Amino acid sequence: MPSRTETPHLAWPPPGLGRIQGDLWALARLHLIGGLLLVVPLIPALRATDGLGLENGFGESWWVPLATTALALVVLLAAYVGTVRFFRRCRTGARIGYDWQMIGMVASDKERDGGLLLQGLRYFSGASRSTLATIRTMRLVAAVLAFVGAIWLSAGFAIGVLLAMRGLVPGPGTLSFMALVPSGLLVLLGAFLVVLEGGLVRELRKKWFAASPGSDRASERVEASAWMAALKGENAPSLP
């Protein structure tokens, strides 16, 4: 098993992709917050019989859905602007030579350890290539599912409202179903993959720390000295 003093040979995130690291998860959270602020307060109002009937859904607190909708629009505006910027940066990454798998790996790297995973270093050093590939795939799929599910919460609701205006949606219950159920399923499936992937990584960490001898402290001192010397621009001692 490789030593704990093993260091990455490749910079991470890759040059040109640093601005999208973990962005899929950040955007998913923003879309989810905005979608919940938009959809959840309006569900009681939509169940009223006379139009929106805000007074029926909230009584004297008719201003509640108005306030939450205004706040939701601000959050969603930031989320969609961020999404456009994200895809532009992804397109730039593709133009300079990265494939979609590398771009996706960086964009889904919320743990900030994608470089170690890609190169099989530190606690990933004891995993097989197939296990590393499985972890990479699970991280990317989980992020994409959460991202799509979070976007659908607001987009599906808006589509449902447009269909309802044309008489193509039978009632408020169907509209709520269209927005909440697909979004919830996608987000929950993404969360399930995160739990599975996290369990694999925790096991790898436990094995790696358990296999590290206590006498490794001396080599850690050498590594620390080399790192500090490199930071100061001095001649660093060679690592063992």
Side-chain angles (χ1 to χ4, degrees):
M1 180 175 294
S3 169
R4 288 183 62 179
T5 59
E6 190 173 19
T7 55
H9 300 287
L10 298 175
W12 187 263
L17 296 182
R19 298 185 71 181
I20 67 169
Q21 187 177 19
D23 273 6
L24 275 177
W25 286 106
L27 289 171
R29 287 192 295 269
L30 201 58
H31 278 286
L32 188 61
I33 292 171
L36 290 173
L37 285 172
L38 177 67
V39 175
V40 174
L42 290 181
I43 290 177
L46 292 173
R47 292 186 180 277
T49 56
D50 52 337
L52 282 179
L54 297 180
E55 70 279 6
N56 294 328
F58 289 87
E60 296 181 356
S61 301
W62 54 268
W63 53 270
V64 171
L66 297 180
T68 54
T69 299
L71 180 59
L73 292 177
V74 173
V75 175
L76 288 173
L77 177 61
Y80 280 103
V81 169
T83 300
V84 172
R85 289 177 178 173
F86 167 73
F87 281 113
R88 285 180 177 174
R89 290 166 182 165
C90 290
R91 183 179 61 182
T92 300
R95 286 177 175 175
I96 63 178
Y98 296 109
D99 58 26
W100 68 269
Q101 291 178 320
M102 181 57 63
I103 293 172
M105 184 175 177
V106 176
S108 60
D109 186 25
K110 66 181 178 64
E111 301 295 338
R112 307 283 173 167
D113 61 353
L116 302 177
L117 173 61
L118 181 65
Q119 300 172 80
L121 300 173
R122 293 174 66 84
Y123 45 84
F124 293 113
S125 60
S128 64
R129 290 186 178 181
S130 60
T131 300
L132 295 178
T134 298
I135 294 175
R136 291 196 299 267
T137 301
M138 292 173 71
R139 285 186 172 186
L140 177 56
V141 172
V144 170
L145 288 174
F147 178 69
V148 173
I151 285 183
W152 180 255
L153 186 56
S154 59
F157 181 78
I159 293 172
V161 169
L162 293 176
L163 293 177
M165 292 173 62
R166 301 181 65 89
L168 300 177
V169 175
T174 303
L175 181 57
S176 302
F177 181 89
M178 287 180 58
L180 294 174
V181 174
S183 177
L185 289 176
L186 290 172
V187 171
L188 287 176
L189 184 56
F192 177 70
L193 289 177
V194 168
V195 172
L196 289 182
E197 175 267 325
L200 289 175
V201 175
R202 282 193 297 273
E203 288 299 319
L204 292 174
R205 282 198 184 104
K206 289 180 181 179
K207 292 179 181 179
W208 185 69
F209 282 112
S212 299
S215 59
D216 206 34
R217 190 74 64 186
S219 61
E220 286 182 344
R221 292 195 189 96
V222 175
E223 182 183 9
S225 299
W227 191 92
M228 289 299 298
L231 179 66
K232 297 176 182 179
E234 302 172 357
N235 293 326
S238 58
L239 296 177

